[in-house]
Structure formats: structure tokens, C-alpha cells
PDB file of all heavy atoms in Angstrom:
ATOM      1  N   PHE A  18    -152.514  65.570   7.531  1.00 61.00           N
ATOM      2  CA  PHE A  18    -152.124  65.707   6.137  1.00 61.00           C
ATOM      3  C   PHE A  18    -151.585  64.356   5.604  1.00 61.00           C
ATOM      4  O   PHE A  18    -151.856  63.955   4.501  1.00 61.00           O
ATOM      5  CB  PHE A  18    -151.069  66.780   5.937  1.00 61.00           C
ATOM      6  CG  PHE A  18    -151.601  68.182   6.198  1.00 61.00           C
ATOM      7  CD1 PHE A  18    -150.746  69.183   6.687  1.00 61.00           C
ATOM      8  CD2 PHE A  18    -152.914  68.490   5.959  1.00 61.00           C
ATOM      9  CE1 PHE A  18    -151.223  70.430   6.909  1.00 61.00           C
ATOM     10  CE2 PHE A  18    -153.393  69.767   6.223  1.00 61.00           C
ATOM     11  CZ  PHE A  18    -152.555  70.770   6.681  1.00 61.00           C
ATOM     12  N   VAL A  19    -150.759  63.698   6.445  1.00 65.00           N
ATOM     13  CA  VAL A  19    -150.180  62.417   6.032  1.00 65.00           C
ATOM     14  C   VAL A  19    -151.320  61.381   5.780  1.00 65.00           C
ATOM     15  O   VAL A  19    -151.255  60.568   4.897  1.00 65.00           O
ATOM     16  CB  VAL A  19    -149.192  61.912   7.073  1.00 65.00           C
ATOM     17  CG1 VAL A  19    -148.761  60.455   6.754  1.00 65.00           C
ATOM     18  CG2 VAL A  19    -147.994  62.818   7.140  1.00 65.00           C
ATOM     19  N   SER A  20    -152.318  61.412   6.641  1.00 61.00           N
ATOM     20  CA  SER A  20    -153.446  60.478   6.486  1.00 61.00           C
ATOM     21  C   SER A  20    -154.200  60.648   5.191  1.00 61.00           C
ATOM     22  O   SER A  20    -154.797  59.726   4.664  1.00 61.00           O
ATOM     23  CB  SER A  20    -154.416  60.572   7.691  1.00 61.00           C
ATOM     24  OG  SER A  20    -155.088  61.822   7.657  1.00 61.00           O
ATOM     25  N   PHE A  21    -154.162  61.875   4.629  1.00 55.00           N
ATOM     26  CA  PHE A  21    -154.737  62.122   3.318  1.00 55.00           C
ATOM     27  C   PHE A  21    -154.034  61.275   2.283  1.00 55.00           C
ATOM     28  O   PHE A  21    -154.656  60.834   1.308  1.00 55.00           O
ATOM     29  CB  PHE A  21    -154.668  63.554   2.939  1.00 55.00           C
ATOM     30  CG  PHE A  21    -155.832  64.390   3.426  1.00 55.00           C
ATOM     31  CD1 PHE A  21    -155.764  65.066   4.623  1.00 55.00           C
ATOM     32  CD2 PHE A  21    -156.994  64.481   2.714  1.00 55.00           C
ATOM     33  CE1 PHE A  21    -156.821  65.812   5.096  1.00 55.00           C
ATOM     34  CE2 PHE A  21    -158.082  65.220   3.180  1.00 55.00           C
ATOM     35  CZ  PHE A  21    -157.982  65.902   4.352  1.00 55.00           C
ATOM     36  N   GLU A  22    -152.746  61.075   2.428  1.00 59.00           N
ATOM     37  CA  GLU A  22    -151.958  60.320   1.487  1.00 59.00           C
ATOM     38  C   GLU A  22    -152.112  58.819   1.691  1.00 59.00           C
ATOM     39  O   GLU A  22    -152.044  58.046   0.748  1.00 59.00           O
ATOM     40  CB  GLU A  22    -150.471  60.703   1.602  1.00 59.00           C
ATOM     41  CG  GLU A  22    -150.175  62.164   1.314  1.00 59.00           C
ATOM     42  CD  GLU A  22    -150.512  62.536  -0.140  1.00 59.00           C
ATOM     43  OE1 GLU A  22    -150.327  61.675  -0.989  1.00 59.00           O
ATOM     44  OE2 GLU A  22    -150.925  63.698  -0.350  1.00 59.00           O
ATOM     45  N   ILE A  23    -152.331  58.398   2.956  1.00 62.00           N
ATOM     46  CA  ILE A  23    -152.418  56.990   3.260  1.00 62.00           C
ATOM     47  C   ILE A  23    -153.761  56.421   2.914  1.00 62.00           C
ATOM     48  O   ILE A  23    -153.874  55.322   2.407  1.00 62.00           O
ATOM     49  CB  ILE A  23    -152.080  56.771   4.765  1.00 62.00           C
ATOM     50  CG1 ILE A  23    -150.638  57.210   5.034  1.00 62.00           C
ATOM     51  CG2 ILE A  23    -152.273  55.316   5.139  1.00 62.00           C
ATOM     52  CD1 ILE A  23    -150.260  57.128   6.506  1.00 62.00           C
ATOM     53  N   LYS A  24    -154.818  57.202   3.191  1.00 63.00           N
ATOM     54  CA  LYS A  24    -156.164  56.679   2.945  1.00 63.00           C
ATOM     55  C   LYS A  24    -157.043  57.836   2.430  1.00 63.00           C
ATOM     56  O   LYS A  24    -156.671  59.016   2.535  1.00 63.00           O
ATOM     57  CB  LYS A  24    -156.778  56.039   4.170  1.00 63.00           C
ATOM     58  CG  LYS A  24    -157.008  57.026   5.298  1.00 63.00           C
ATOM     59  CD  LYS A  24    -157.680  56.354   6.489  1.00 63.00           C
ATOM     60  CE  LYS A  24    -157.995  57.383   7.588  1.00 63.00           C
ATOM     61  NZ  LYS A  24    -158.707  56.801   8.706  1.00 63.00           N
ATOM     62  N   SER A  25    -158.205  57.443   1.984  1.00 64.00           N
ATOM     63  CA  SER A  25    -159.138  58.444   1.471  1.00 64.00           C
ATOM     64  C   SER A  25    -159.854  59.112   2.608  1.00 64.00           C
ATOM     65  O   SER A  25    -160.427  58.427   3.503  1.00 64.00           O
ATOM     66  CB  SER A  25    -160.151  57.790   0.528  1.00 64.00           C
ATOM     67  OG  SER A  25    -161.117  58.720   0.092  1.00 64.00           O
ATOM     68  N   ILE A  26    -159.854  60.430   2.685  1.00 69.00           N
ATOM     69  CA  ILE A  26    -160.544  61.218   3.700  1.00 69.00           C
ATOM     70  C   ILE A  26    -161.814  61.815   3.105  1.00 69.00           C
ATOM     71  O   ILE A  26    -161.746  62.520   2.086  1.00 69.00           O
ATOM     72  CB  ILE A  26    -159.665  62.304   4.254  1.00 69.00           C
ATOM     73  CG1 ILE A  26    -158.385  61.722   4.826  1.00 69.00           C
ATOM     74  CG2 ILE A  26    -160.391  63.066   5.358  1.00 69.00           C
ATOM     75  CD1 ILE A  26    -158.557  60.787   5.957  1.00 69.00           C
ATOM     76  N   THR A  27    -162.938  61.533   3.701  1.00 74.00           N
ATOM     77  CA  THR A  27    -164.176  62.041   3.135  1.00 74.00           C
ATOM     78  C   THR A  27    -164.567  63.419   3.708  1.00 74.00           C
ATOM     79  O   THR A  27    -164.051  63.826   4.775  1.00 74.00           O
ATOM     80  CB  THR A  27    -165.343  61.071   3.472  1.00 74.00           C
ATOM     81  OG1 THR A  27    -165.569  61.043   4.888  1.00 74.00           O
ATOM     82  CG2 THR A  27    -165.016  59.662   3.009  1.00 74.00           C
ATOM     83  N   ALA A  28    -165.425  64.087   3.015  1.00 78.00           N
ATOM     84  CA  ALA A  28    -165.911  65.416   3.498  1.00 78.00           C
ATOM     85  C   ALA A  28    -166.653  65.237   4.797  1.00 78.00           C
ATOM     86  O   ALA A  28    -166.620  66.116   5.669  1.00 78.00           O
ATOM     87  CB  ALA A  28    -166.813  66.048   2.459  1.00 78.00           C
ATOM     88  N   ARG A  29    -167.314  64.071   4.985  1.00 81.00           N
ATOM     89  CA  ARG A  29    -168.060  63.819   6.252  1.00 81.00           C
ATOM     90  C   ARG A  29    -167.089  63.754   7.457  1.00 81.00           C
ATOM     91  O   ARG A  29    -167.395  64.255   8.539  1.00 81.00           O
ATOM     92  CB  ARG A  29    -168.825  62.517   6.143  1.00 81.00           C
ATOM     93  CG  ARG A  29    -170.046  62.602   5.213  1.00 81.00           C
ATOM     94  CD  ARG A  29    -170.694  61.277   5.101  1.00 81.00           C
ATOM     95  NE  ARG A  29    -171.946  61.298   4.289  1.00 81.00           N
ATOM     96  CZ  ARG A  29    -172.701  60.282   4.011  1.00 81.00           C
ATOM     97  NH1 ARG A  29    -172.375  59.076   4.500  1.00 81.00           N
ATOM     98  NH2 ARG A  29    -173.790  60.422   3.264  1.00 81.00           N
ATOM     99  N   GLU A  30    -165.948  63.148   7.234  1.00 82.00           N
ATOM    100  CA  GLU A  30    -164.978  63.044   8.317  1.00 82.00           C
ATOM    101  C   GLU A  30    -164.443  64.438   8.685  1.00 82.00           C
ATOM    102  O   GLU A  30    -164.305  64.741   9.877  1.00 82.00           O
ATOM    103  CB  GLU A  30    -163.811  62.150   7.877  1.00 82.00           C
ATOM    104  CG  GLU A  30    -162.770  61.909   8.965  1.00 82.00           C
ATOM    105  CD  GLU A  30    -161.689  60.943   8.519  1.00 82.00           C
ATOM    106  OE1 GLU A  30    -161.950  60.159   7.624  1.00 82.00           O
ATOM    107  OE2 GLU A  30    -160.622  60.973   9.160  1.00 82.00           O
ATOM    108  N   VAL A  31    -164.109  65.240   7.681  1.00 82.00           N
ATOM    109  CA  VAL A  31    -163.643  66.596   7.963  1.00 82.00           C
ATOM    110  C   VAL A  31    -164.731  67.386   8.677  1.00 82.00           C
ATOM    111  O   VAL A  31    -164.489  68.144   9.616  1.00 82.00           O
ATOM    112  CB  VAL A  31    -163.207  67.289   6.653  1.00 82.00           C
ATOM    113  CG1 VAL A  31    -162.851  68.741   6.935  1.00 82.00           C
ATOM    114  CG2 VAL A  31    -162.057  66.561   5.998  1.00 82.00           C
ATOM    115  N   THR A  32    -165.965  67.203   8.224  1.00 86.00           N
ATOM    116  CA  THR A  32    -167.089  67.961   8.815  1.00 86.00           C
ATOM    117  C   THR A  32    -167.301  67.536  10.284  1.00 86.00           C
ATOM    118  O   THR A  32    -167.530  68.429  11.144  1.00 86.00           O
ATOM    119  CB  THR A  32    -168.383  67.680   8.041  1.00 86.00           C
ATOM    120  OG1 THR A  32    -168.218  68.116   6.677  1.00 86.00           O
ATOM    121  CG2 THR A  32    -169.581  68.445   8.635  1.00 86.00           C
ATOM    122  N   LEU A  33    -167.209  66.252  10.552  1.00 89.00           N
ATOM    123  CA  LEU A  33    -167.388  65.777  11.957  1.00 89.00           C
ATOM    124  C   LEU A  33    -166.298  66.363  12.853  1.00 89.00           C
ATOM    125  O   LEU A  33    -166.555  66.855  13.965  1.00 89.00           O
ATOM    126  CB  LEU A  33    -167.371  64.242  12.013  1.00 89.00           C
ATOM    127  CG  LEU A  33    -167.472  63.634  13.420  1.00 89.00           C
ATOM    128  CD1 LEU A  33    -168.762  64.076  14.112  1.00 89.00           C
ATOM    129  CD2 LEU A  33    -167.409  62.129  13.308  1.00 89.00           C
ATOM    130  N   THR A  34    -165.054  66.343  12.361  1.00 89.00           N
ATOM    131  CA  THR A  34    -163.952  66.882  13.139  1.00 89.00           C
ATOM    132  C   THR A  34    -164.139  68.366  13.398  1.00 89.00           C
ATOM    133  O   THR A  34    -163.943  68.838  14.532  1.00 89.00           O
ATOM    134  CB  THR A  34    -162.617  66.636  12.426  1.00 89.00           C
ATOM    135  OG1 THR A  34    -162.410  65.226  12.155  1.00 89.00           O
ATOM    136  CG2 THR A  34    -161.414  67.147  13.227  1.00 89.00           C
ATOM    137  N   ALA A  35    -164.503  69.101  12.353  1.00 90.00           N
ATOM    138  CA  ALA A  35    -164.755  70.558  12.477  1.00 90.00           C
ATOM    139  C   ALA A  35    -165.892  70.825  13.439  1.00 90.00           C
ATOM    140  O   ALA A  35    -165.849  71.799  14.229  1.00 90.00           O
ATOM    141  CB  ALA A  35    -165.006  71.163  11.116  1.00 90.00           C
ATOM    142  N   THR A  36    -166.935  70.006  13.379  1.00 92.00           N
ATOM    143  CA  THR A  36    -168.086  70.178  14.269  1.00 92.00           C
ATOM    144  C   THR A  36    -167.693  70.005  15.754  1.00 92.00           C
ATOM    145  O   THR A  36    -168.118  70.786  16.611  1.00 92.00           O
ATOM    146  CB  THR A  36    -169.224  69.230  13.929  1.00 92.00           C
ATOM    147  OG1 THR A  36    -169.610  69.408  12.553  1.00 92.00           O
ATOM    148  CG2 THR A  36    -170.412  69.360  14.837  1.00 92.00           C
ATOM    149  N   LEU A  37    -166.867  68.999  16.011  1.00 94.00           N
ATOM    150  CA  LEU A  37    -166.450  68.758  17.409  1.00 94.00           C
ATOM    151  C   LEU A  37    -165.511  69.874  17.881  1.00 94.00           C
ATOM    152  O   LEU A  37    -165.565  70.240  19.071  1.00 94.00           O
ATOM    153  CB  LEU A  37    -165.744  67.392  17.464  1.00 94.00           C
ATOM    154  CG  LEU A  37    -166.685  66.179  17.282  1.00 94.00           C
ATOM    155  CD1 LEU A  37    -165.868  64.909  17.178  1.00 94.00           C
ATOM    156  CD2 LEU A  37    -167.689  66.089  18.418  1.00 94.00           C
ATOM    157  N   ILE A  38    -164.683  70.398  17.003  1.00 95.00           N
ATOM    158  CA  ILE A  38    -163.892  71.573  17.377  1.00 95.00           C
ATOM    159  C   ILE A  38    -164.793  72.723  17.718  1.00 95.00           C
ATOM    160  O   ILE A  38    -164.579  73.418  18.769  1.00 95.00           O
ATOM    161  CB  ILE A  38    -162.947  71.968  16.210  1.00 95.00           C
ATOM    162  CG1 ILE A  38    -161.877  70.906  16.018  1.00 95.00           C
ATOM    163  CG2 ILE A  38    -162.292  73.291  16.525  1.00 95.00           C
ATOM    164  CD1 ILE A  38    -161.023  71.095  14.768  1.00 95.00           C
ATOM    165  N   ALA A  39    -165.826  72.962  16.928  1.00 95.00           N
ATOM    166  CA  ALA A  39    -166.752  74.056  17.177  1.00 95.00           C
ATOM    167  C   ALA A  39    -167.476  73.842  18.552  1.00 95.00           C
ATOM    168  O   ALA A  39    -167.664  74.825  19.289  1.00 95.00           O
ATOM    169  CB  ALA A  39    -167.774  74.173  16.064  1.00 95.00           C
ATOM    170  N   LEU A  40    -167.864  72.600  18.816  1.00 94.00           N
ATOM    171  CA  LEU A  40    -168.526  72.307  20.078  1.00 94.00           C
ATOM    172  C   LEU A  40    -167.602  72.558  21.285  1.00 94.00           C
ATOM    173  O   LEU A  40    -168.047  73.094  22.315  1.00 94.00           O
ATOM    174  CB  LEU A  40    -169.025  70.870  20.125  1.00 94.00           C
ATOM    175  CG  LEU A  40    -170.268  70.537  19.280  1.00 94.00           C
ATOM    176  CD1 LEU A  40    -170.503  68.999  19.273  1.00 94.00           C
ATOM    177  CD2 LEU A  40    -171.480  71.244  19.849  1.00 94.00           C
ATOM    178  N   ALA A  41    -166.358  72.220  21.121  1.00 95.00           N
ATOM    179  CA  ALA A  41    -165.392  72.467  22.208  1.00 95.00           C
ATOM    180  C   ALA A  41    -165.215  73.967  22.431  1.00 95.00           C
ATOM    181  O   ALA A  41    -165.158  74.399  23.569  1.00 95.00           O
ATOM    182  CB  ALA A  41    -164.041  71.824  21.839  1.00 95.00           C
ATOM    183  N   VAL A  42    -165.150  74.705  21.342  1.00 95.00           N
ATOM    184  CA  VAL A  42    -165.009  76.201  21.462  1.00 95.00           C
ATOM    185  C   VAL A  42    -166.262  76.811  22.145  1.00 95.00           C
ATOM    186  O   VAL A  42    -166.158  77.598  23.081  1.00 95.00           O
ATOM    187  CB  VAL A  42    -164.825  76.835  20.071  1.00 95.00           C
ATOM    188  CG1 VAL A  42    -164.874  78.352  20.179  1.00 95.00           C
ATOM    189  CG2 VAL A  42    -163.492  76.402  19.491  1.00 95.00           C
ATOM    190  N   VAL A  43    -167.435  76.345  21.695  1.00 95.00           N
ATOM    191  CA  VAL A  43    -168.688  76.876  22.271  1.00 95.00           C
ATOM    192  C   VAL A  43    -168.818  76.498  23.711  1.00 95.00           C
ATOM    193  O   VAL A  43    -169.283  77.270  24.595  1.00 95.00           O
ATOM    194  CB  VAL A  43    -169.888  76.371  21.477  1.00 95.00           C
ATOM    195  CG1 VAL A  43    -171.211  76.685  22.189  1.00 95.00           C
ATOM    196  CG2 VAL A  43    -169.902  76.943  20.086  1.00 95.00           C
ATOM    197  N   SER A  44    -168.350  75.268  24.097  1.00 92.00           N
ATOM    198  CA  SER A  44    -168.476  74.813  25.501  1.00 92.00           C
ATOM    199  C   SER A  44    -167.606  75.700  26.396  1.00 92.00           C
ATOM    200  O   SER A  44    -167.978  75.950  27.549  1.00 92.00           O
ATOM    201  CB  SER A  44    -168.036  73.362  25.601  1.00 92.00           C
ATOM    202  OG  SER A  44    -166.624  73.228  25.435  1.00 92.00           O
TER     203      SER A  44
END
């Protein structure tokens, strides 16, 4: 959340993070 204030967070970055979480869960 703090990084949202410090720099711009793109939808692609959130999507990549969410995708890796999903891969970890599936694994």
C-alpha cells in the first residue's frame, strides 16, 4: 500500500503478482 503512494503501480504489476500467487496455490 505504501508503494502505491511512493510510485505509480500499474495494472500489469498487480496482475503479475496475482498470477504468481495463483501459481503458488495451484502448485
Side-chain angles (χ1 to χ4, degrees):
F18 292 150
V19 172
S20 68
F21 272 94
E22 299 295 327
I23 297 175
K24 65 176 183 177
S25 177
I26 303 296
T27 66
R29 289 177 176 178
E30 182 175 340
V31 175
T32 301
L33 177 58
T34 303
T36 301
L37 291 172
I38 292 171
L40 285 174
V42 172
V43 170
S44 72

